[in-house]
Amino acid sequence: MLLFYSAQIGSIAGMQKAIDKDPKMLHASEVFCGQSALHLAAASPISNDASGAVHWLLEKGVPWSVKDHAGFIPEDSARKIGRNEEVQKLLREWALQEEYEFYSKPIQEEGHQDTAEPAVMIRFDGDRKNKLFCKRADILYTIPHGAPDDELALIYLPNGAGIMMEWERPIMRESARLLLEGMPKSGLRILNIGFGLGMIDSYFQDAKPAEHDIIEGHPGSLGFMRHKGWYDRPGVRVLEERWQKYFSESWPPPDLDAEDAKRPFNIGKFDIVYFDTFQEGYSGHFSFIKHVPRLLRDQNSRFSYFNGHWAKQETAYEIYAEVQRLHHHDLGMNTKWSKVYIDKKEMWDNIFDRGKGVQQDYPHLIPICALAPTVPRMFVPGVGWRPYSDEEVTEDVDVTLEASALCIIKDGTILQAFVSMSDSAGKNFSPSLGLLPPRELEFSDKEKGLFNIGEFDWPTDRLTNLRKKKNAKSVTNSTIPPTVAQLL
Ligand SMILES: C[S@@+](CC[C@H](N)C(=O)[O-])C[C@H]1O[C@@H](n2cnc3c(N)ncnc32)[C@H](O)[C@@H]1O
């Protein structure tokens, strides 16, 4: 509690004292909303030095990406609750720098392995995981439970998760359109990595490319391609094996057998390169993009890929788009982002759950990269520094506000109460925290140790914020009703 309280008032001495006593507290989160000390420091309206506290916590190792129960990260708290632009900027720049620099370091560096502490962002060695996937993973081409007959899905059998699903078609269609737009009608050379359901390859085929190379690393997908006649299509060359076998930085790689070593390192240059694999994460993506500039035929050539990096958290998705842009820039490529909106109801989380689990109600971002300087650096829609807009109305709801509190009590006085708000259904739609000034302890049920924290004024701007965000038709109270809290 000392850590949370100190984070809120911006007391570095207090936070230091708390973690000296119990270092594990640094990665703890409060019980109601699951907010870390970093969320609290970033959101605090009463702090003497919010930026100082946030910076101190980041330096101590609290991840910029730690999520609360509602899935918000500290930058969201700074924007939505604290309304503190300086703190937002600090968190954004920290995240960008950390992520940008991380991938310039060797993957197996200490502290950046699979086994991170729970609160720490999990990083994995994409190459190792992907190698195992292509070698051994059981995959299945099937029709999801309750889906129409022509809706095929490619499933990862161990957990039923979708490798490729029909709901991703709008992304593939739009990616192909953006890549093919204005391309020459004849002599087109296309390279696609990762066949999946062959959606994007089918759109590419419509443009009748002169050469269409497809690299596919999983035997199951190769079997499907054979079955569907892809090996016999005019212009198509199926390159079996993982892409890593064709684009190794040092050729031949030490573990390559003699037959593979005969393959040409340079498979040619292309007008269009597309990349969409599975179980590689950003580390796999980063290994691949290093090869892209020399795969592009000229400055009119284009590169794109499925951008799923941190796609389940809106702010982190924005951050990662910017990290990608910086990495592309270092490789001599410009990036232009386009948006595609997917109807949430259409999304499958796994073979059984349509519209459940996948919570992306913001647009998917499609990158189009080209060798600089043909494509001028452009404004990146929806990406980069974007101040929070009050006008973002998302939903019509009737809101009844309820509050619960966690209190620090000394000598019969409530010193501090952390109050969280939720809607009447108990859904914590916008975790908010308020501090009560010290007050006398007033028991409602002394035996059970329950007491009222009494009425208090909730800061009006937070209610306004909630009302606008949710477009609430009615907010029952502008003051919080007496609420029962648990005695600690
Ligand atoms: C998400 S699917 C691709 C979907 C495709 N874009 C479409 O439009 O249907 C991923 C595919 O990449 C393949 N794959 C995964 N890792 C690979 C690797 N290292 N090299 C080549 N293919 C890989 C998988 O077997 C799978 O077929």
Side-chain angles (χ1 to χ4, degrees), residues 130 163 195-200 216-218 221 242-244 276:
N130 182 260
I163 298 170
F195 180 79
L197 292 175
M199 282 184 200
I200 202 152
E216 172 51 56
H218 196 287
S221 291
R242 297 164 75 225
W243 66 262
Q244 288 85 343
D276 180 12

Side-chain angles (χ1 to χ4, degrees), residues 86-97:
E86 193 186 317
V87 170
Q88 286 173 64
K89 199 157 175 265
L90 169 61
L91 282 158
R92 174 64 61 107
E93 280 170 4
W94 182 281
L96 282 176
Q97 186 161 345

Side-chain angles (χ1 to χ4, degrees), residues 173-235:
R173 193 190 302 120
E174 183 61 2
S175 301
R177 191 190 69 77
L178 291 165
L179 286 166
L180 288 164
E181 200 173 35
M183 280 284 163
K185 295 273 177 278
S186 66
L188 201 59
R189 292 206 61 195
I190 298 179
L191 170 65
N192 177 40
I193 292 111
F195 180 79
L197 292 175
M199 282 184 200
I200 202 152
D201 284 306
S202 301
Y203 292 118
F204 289 154
Q205 277 288 292
D206 292 345
K208 302 198 169 33
E211 289 176 42
H212 182 173
D213 286 350
I214 305 170
I215 301 183
E216 172 51 56
H218 196 287
S221 291
L222 289 165
F224 181 76
M225 291 175 81
R226 211 168 279 119
H227 173 69
K228 291 280 178 187
W230 277 87
Y231 280 70
D232 308 319
R233 293 207 180 192

Side-chain angles (χ1 to χ4, degrees), residues 130-131 133-134 139 141 154 163-164 168 172 192-201 215-219 221 239 241-244 274-280 306:
N130 182 260
K131 213 181 253 173
F133 168 76
C134 287
I139 63 170
Y141 284 86
L154 173 55
I163 298 170
M164 192 65 192
E168 292 167 283
M172 294 301 134
N192 177 40
I193 292 111
F195 180 79
L197 292 175
M199 282 184 200
I200 202 152
D201 284 306
I215 301 183
E216 172 51 56
H218 196 287
S221 291
L239 298 164
E241 297 290 354
R242 297 164 75 225
W243 66 262
Q244 288 85 343
Y274 189 75
F275 181 81
D276 180 12
T277 61
F278 187 67
Q279 299 243 312
E280 292 211 79
F306 179 84

Side-chain angles (χ1 to χ4, degrees), residues 441-483:
L441 190 59
E442 190 191 305
F443 281 101
S444 62
D445 186 339
K446 202 163 184 177
E447 259 171 42
K448 288 192 186 143
L450 300 175
F451 58 89
N452 290 333
I453 58 171
E455 255 189 29
F456 71 100
D457 284 321
W458 191 261
T460 340
D461 64 339
R462 296 221 192 139
L463 282 176
T464 317
N465 183 5
L466 277 178
R467 208 177 289 135
K468 281 194 175 158
K469 181 73 187 156
K470 285 299 216 184
N471 199 20
K473 285 187 203 136
S474 64
V475 175
T476 49
N477 278 295
S478 60
T479 51
I480 299 297
T483 311

